[in-house]
Amino acid sequence: MAMDDKRKQLNEQEDDGRTIADMSNLAPHRNWLGGWTASTGSDRRREQPSPQPQQQRRPWEQPDTFTGSQRFWAVMGALKASLLIGLVYVVGLGLLGWLLISLWS
């Protein structure tokens, strides 16, 4: 009996009136593969925003802030980090192989 009461409580949900996502102006249209997708009521091709200058679109990228030496050492640091991770994997696989061989012989 207790399980039936829990199921009834789960199935009976109250509407609190909140709008999670407004779906009032969605209209289906065919996509280029032949299937149906939902889109807003207006044509998306006409609503494309005007292109923004490069600096406004990606403000985190600063062109040519590194000198040649700084760029070289940044690349070497990234290479060192990746080789260190690779070395950890190789050593781990080597220890696993040694353990399996020692257990089987």
Side-chain angles (χ1 to χ4, degrees):
M1 279 308 226
M3 291 298 279
D4 292 333
D5 293 335
K6 287 182 184 179
R7 285 187 187 142
K8 286 179 186 177
Q9 287 176 354
L10 289 175
N11 289 335
E12 296 174 4
Q13 298 177 357
E14 295 182 18
D15 185 14
D16 58 2
R18 294 183 296 167
T19 301
I20 304 299
D22 184 19
M23 306 276 250
S24 60
N25 60 347
L26 291 179
H29 75 285
R30 285 190 155 280
N31 63 13
W32 62 278
L33 290 175
W36 290 93
T37 59
S39 69
T40 57
S42 60
D43 190 10
R44 289 183 187 213
R45 285 173 278 204
R46 285 186 240 147
E47 291 185 10
Q48 291 179 351
S50 62
Q52 298 176 359
Q54 182 71 14
Q55 201 164 15
Q56 288 180 352
R57 285 189 302 178
R58 305 177 103 173
W60 59 88
E61 288 184 357
Q62 309 248 336
D64 295 325
T65 56
F66 287 131
T67 63
S69 175
Q70 289 173 335
R71 186 176 300 125
F72 171 76
W73 287 113
V75 169
M76 295 311 285
L79 184 64
K80 182 174 68 170
S82 61
L83 288 176
L84 182 63
I85 292 170
L87 181 66
V88 168
Y89 276 107
V90 168
V91 168
L93 287 173
L95 287 175
L96 180 66
W98 173 78
L99 178 68
L100 290 175
I101 288 172
S102 66
L103 287 175
W104 285 336
S105 29

